[in-house]
Amino acid sequence: MLAKLKDFGSNPSALDAVAYSIVVLAISGVTFGVIWARTKKLFAVMLIHAAGDLLPNFVGFAKTWL
């Protein structure tokens, strides 16, 4: 299955895209749920989510604007 994940390319089949999305969303949802359950702080979950969105894109942003 891992070899197949590398073969998605730019045009995965609908079934592959749905399966990949379900797996990724399930893992992130459980992770955020555990963090919230342990800390009871929504702000902590929001910061981690924001960092996860920001960090992969920061290098491109910095190259463009700095």
Side-chain angles (χ1 to χ4, degrees), residues 10-53:
S10 61
N11 291 322
S13 71
L15 182 61
D16 286 340
V18 169
Y20 179 79
S21 296
I22 289 171
V23 169
V24 169
L25 292 174
I27 292 170
S28 63
V30 168
T31 302
F32 289 142
V34 167
I35 292 168
W36 181 83
R38 289 186 178 215
T39 64
K40 298 289 190 223
K41 296 186 187 298
L42 184 59
F43 190 68
V45 176
M46 291 168 56
L47 283 177
I48 294 167
H49 186 278
D53 289 341

